[in-house]
Amino acid sequence: MHGNNDSFEAVIGLEVHSQLLTKTKMFCSCPNIFGMEPNTAVCPVCLALPGALPVINIEAVRLAVKAALALNININKKSLFARKNYFYPDLPKGYQISQYLDPVSSNGYLDIETEDSSKKNKINKRIRINRLHIEEDAGKLIHIGNRSYVDLNRAGTPLVEIVSEPDLSSAAEASAYLKSLREILVYLGVSDGNMEEGSFRCDANVSVRRKGDPELGTRAEIKNVNSFKFVEKAIEFEIERQIDLILNGGKVIQETRLYDSKENITRSMRGKEEAHDYRYFEEPDLPPLILSKEFINDVKNSITELPAEKRRRYVSEYKLTEYDAEVLTQDKEIADYFEDLIKENSNRIDIKKLANWVINELLSELKLKESEERMPLSAKNFLELITAVESGSINRNTGKIVLAEMLSSGKSALEIIKEKNLAQVSDDKGIEDIVKQVVNENQKEFADLIGGKDKLFGFFVGEIMKKTKGKANPKKANEILRKYIEENK
Amino acid sequence: MDDLCRLTISEIAGLLKKKEVKSTDILNSYVKRIKAEEPEISAYLYNDFEEAERNAEAADKIISSGSDYPALTGIPLSIKDIFLIKGKRTTCASKILDNFISPYDSTVVRKLKENNYVFLGKTNLDEFAMGSSTENSAYKITKNPYDLNRVPGGSSGGSAASVAADLCAGSFGTDTGGSVRQPAALCGVVGLKPTYGLISRYGIIAFSSSLDQAGILSKDVTDAAIMLEAVAGFDEKDQTTRKFNVKKYAEIVKKADKSILKGLNIGIPAEFFSDGLDPEINSKVSEIKILLKDLGANIIDISLPDTKYSVSTYYIIATSEASSNLERYDGIRYGYRYNENDGGAIQSLDDLYRKSREAGFGNEVKRRIILGTFALSAGYYDAYYKKASLVRKLIIKNYKDAFAKADIIIGPTSPTPAFLIGEKTADPLSMYLSDIYTISVNLAYLPGLSIPVGAVKNPTKTDGILPVGLQIISPWTTEDKLLSVAKIIEDEVKFREKIKK
Amino acid sequence: MDINHVMKLAKLDLNEEESAHFASELNKILGYIDMIQSADVSKIEDIIDELDYDRLISNEGLNERFYKDCRIDECKTDDTFDFEIVKSNAPSFEVQTAGSDLEDTVTESGFFVVPQVIE
Ligand SMILES: [Mg+2]
Ligand SMILES: [Zn+2]
């Protein structure tokens, strides 16, 4: 950062495009799936054959309304689809059906956690959202040599576009906003939030101005940013570029810039810009989208607890630490799993302990295995294992081994414990027999122990564990050995 | 049996039912007539007699195996070359779709196939249905069967001529601003444009989405009802169709009785009888007025005060939507792509687009694309497209007010009878004005029907006559009423019996 | 009308003589069309919804209509649709044979090809 930067402030607005998790496309009944052979998920509508017509996917509308409600955005009872006209090979109709004129929802906000100017204290900041609207995605182009290859599988898949007001003032805030937004959409099952595959994409409008200046500076739009890390870097670079430009007597021009992650710079897209005039007008092939109160209420009722609320509840209701609550709620699947454990917890194991099992054992084991399946263990099976350890029927280390075995073989905890004969020897008679056996085999050492060589106590415990292949309950073994010593003194 | 091709659909269906003729016999009669007359008329872009033969044989099997089969079974029909039929060439009379084979069926054609119809061929039209004379076809000019020097009207001119010249039993066309009713009037046949949304637009090449509607050209009103019933109704592939209660139009028309005219309020809009109207047509319409009054109807004067804006409004909305609808003809997935053998190298993607579209589209299409693009462009949108959308509401309001007083509205279909080929081609505006009475019906989503009510003398042909059409307009979704009134007028006028071509 | 600008937007490419001819025709048409500027639409502003197509043709509440006419989220194919015809219509289509081990399920997918998209 340069010396004079402190006299500037950045003004950032984000436009997020997020694919919706529907079975079919926005306006036709083709599958909405990633990764099919090129041009196999296509039909007359998404190929834009002559005579084909769009028909609204009600599920896409439902998901959009769900997202909007979660983001505190007003649902507009009547909204319109419009055509945005431009020619490009990935846009077969020559227009994109979007909701430019009257969006399905407008005027909302998202609260994010950020730092104050001293960067020491966390504060909450409200980022206003201008609108959330429904639109369709374009196809894909692959450029090889001087030819381009058009694949229309993605053409017509449903998106929501979420446009923030320019309320963000740093790259870190932008990133916090984006993460929070993504978290909500994934939580609601609206989007898979995958930035790498492009199902969650972000364009950033960035401008700078001297602090206190009421006027907004000229903004540049940064496109093509496909990870959270890059969003932050791209915005940081762009802020610095604009400040440098102004300090050197230059002027920021309104343009679209592409982020180049290899060189960590943004680059002008000049030339592609000429004469954009999208000639928006109401889509005459579709009726206005009219949402009834009942429809909106149905969607409202389907919204489950959002991550921020969940975190608060975990701390207050389950008495978990902020950190534990954070880890458990990061992912809806993990949170759901954790709550399943609590629900099935008939042995009343301490919730804090359950949390530790998930965080310290299960998640780290899953990470180690890079498991494809997110939660391969049923809550019931996992509880069986936890109960076995917490009740002392196997020890903690054995528990870890059993867990690994459960994940790889799919067998239940009890099956594995039985099969491998891993259960601890906890009964007094069994351990007494072993103690006697060990004493018999080491009579000299035992005499020394009785004679006052206390250090040999550990030796005997070790021998007992060896004999039982670690299955003896160490606490029990200690107790019985001590008793035996007393008796033989 | 040569006269079989002169029969109406209901007449043919009667003979088929009584097993007095076979569908193949009917077809043979048409094939013979087409071979003799088509070279003069040029109604068709192509015929497909092999397909027709297969269809007729299949229909005969169905007819012989039972008495319960759909109404159009074994009936030879022609289809405007704007409807997609899987595996068949569909050009929309444009060079840009010269080699286009339909990869799927339009809903109308799917229903016709389910009706066991016989496909005779694709009829000529103005390119992308843009025109009122069928002179804008990239392939041929269709002639009016009443006078080969005159136009059949348009854009469904091929369909109208094919029905008028007995080259088919009936035809499906499309009507965006009068493209079924005006050629029906000029060729002396019945032309029906239903309420917007009654017939699915899926698989019909779009001109102007909010105005386009499939329409019917038939020899009489009964046939129009039969054909409408076969194809009307909600389609899950077209969200502008509605779950209307599709009525039994054929039965309703059969039962239509003069008594329904008693006390019926028939509105005569003053604006439809202004300066541009041919005085002879005016007097033909007046005869009908008197006839209806004699049958007990109340003839009332009404006003559609904003009719004067209808042509302007129409040309802004239709061309704006068309400019967007025709963006898909980009030379990438189908249709004509400029190639370097056609002269000059392609420098860029922009070049590919511009050269392909430039060479593929005809002049009238380009004119309309430019007009529509302009009307939507930054700085002009408010004054043109947006204003026109509001004026459209004004026109709808006119009709709503009118239907508060009148049960039905009548007037001329076209201001003039069939004009000479080439007469209006140099002046696009004069061509546009030939749709002045039909356009507002599309703007207001209303059903309208043109029925031949007589003829005037042909000024350029000794002993020649030119048919005159009466337009009937009824409220939204009241095709039953529209067809019934038309049937009563038809029975009184007896145009088919009186006029020998 | 700036006809060259409009032609750029519409991706048309007329030579100078043609575009001059078009411009004069279009100006004449615009001269006529401009009459709508004088239309008084102030009176319909309050009743604009009543004049919607849906209200005109339907006595039902619009809410019910919306539910009925939208599409439910189910994969479906148009029975009459044939992608082989799409391929043969394409000015340039490059097939890539992709398939499973089972011979009868091998499908030929591929790309529409455009020359020189990147400028
Ligand atoms: Mg967008
Ligand atoms: Zn599709």
Side-chain angles (χ1 to χ4, degrees), chain A residues 24-25 39 146-147 292 295, chain C residues 67 71 73 94 110 112 116:
Chain A
T24 64
K25 294 187 180 183
N39 294 304
N146 59 357
R147 288 143 69 88
S292 68
F295 180 85
Chain C
Y67 287 110
R71 187 168 60 78
D73 191 23
E94 222 161 82
F112 300 98
Q116 295 163 329

Side-chain angles (χ1 to χ4, degrees), chain B residues 383-442:
Chain B
Y384 291 101
Y385 183 80
K386 199 174 168 197
K387 182 72 188 251
S389 301
L390 290 171
V391 178
R392 181 177 191 172
K393 303 266 179 184
L394 212 54
I395 290 164
I396 293 170
K397 178 79 167 58
N398 283 184
Y399 275 108
K400 231 187 148 195
D401 293 345
F403 284 124
K405 294 181 210 148
D407 298 305
I408 213 157
I409 293 170
I410 64 165
T413 305
S414 164
T416 65
F419 44 91
L420 290 165
I421 290 167
E423 191 180 326
K424 296 186 178 187
T425 42
D427 183 5
L429 191 56
S430 74
M431 187 78 86
Y432 297 174
L433 290 169
S434 70
D435 291 331
I436 189 153
Y437 304 133
T438 48
I439 269 173
S440 61
V441 174
N442 298 74

Side-chain angles (χ1 to χ4, degrees), chain C residues 3 6 9 15 24 29 33 43-44 49-50 71 79 87 92 110 114 119:
Chain C
I3 194 157
V6 175
L9 290 175
N15 67 34
S24 88
I29 294 166
I33 280 175
K43 287 192 199 81
I44 53 153
D49 282 349
E50 278 172 43
R71 187 168 60 78
D79 303 335
K87 283 199 279 192
S92 178
V114 194
E119 277 128 70

Side-chain angles (χ1 to χ4, degrees), chain A residues 7-25:
Chain A
S7 60
F8 283 90
E9 63 180 0
V11 177
I12 304 158
L14 295 184
E15 273 179 43
V16 170
H17 285 92
S18 178
Q19 278 180 10
L20 296 175
L21 285 173
T22 54
K23 288 197 201 84
T24 64
K25 294 187 180 183

Side-chain angles (χ1 to χ4, degrees), chain A residues 25 27-31 41-47 155:
Chain A
K25 294 187 180 183
F27 299 114
C28 62
S29 303
C30 288
V42 292
C43 74
V45 179
C46 53
L47 285 168

